[in-house]
Amino acid sequence: MLRLIFWIAVIAAAVWFWRKYKGQASVPKSPAELEAAPMVRCAHCGVHLPRDRALSLQQQWYCSQAHLEQGPGSSGR
């Protein structure tokens, strides 16, 4: 009886590991993950955001209209 329980546990563990590693390898990447948006840094506060959401002025990027109006922040970063 002890041998039977041992083999059932071994087989169950093998099936569990096989499913776990098979599932990780076969997960397809979405098109959004493959084509990530380029990130830019706000010239005022330094936060990073997608370029399509940023505001630009004279080759500098800003995260909001308020930071655009205030201009570049201190360069002590």
Side-chain angles (χ1 to χ4, degrees):
M1 186 68 176
L2 190 58
R3 266 189 193 169
L4 179 63
I5 293 173
F6 171 75
W7 284 110
I8 290 173
V10 168
I11 292 170
V15 168
W16 181 76
F17 278 117
W18 180 70
R19 285 185 180 174
K20 181 179 176 184
Y21 291 113
K22 180 185 173 205
Q24 289 178 352
S26 65
V27 175
K29 299 223 179 214
S30 69
E33 291 176 356
L34 296 175
E35 298 176 16
M39 303 291 280
V40 294
R41 185 175 183 199
C42 177
H44 182 79
C45 65
V47 72
H48 289 85
L49 66 155
R51 187 170 58 193
D52 60 347
R53 292 188 178 188
L55 304 170
S56 74
L57 177 67
Q58 299 174 353
Q59 297 180 346
Q60 291 184 335
W61 299 95
Y62 297 92
C63 63
S64 66
Q65 184 67 34
H67 284 183
L68 179 101
E69 292 169 1
Q70 293 173 2
S74 64
S75 60
R77 291 189 187 121

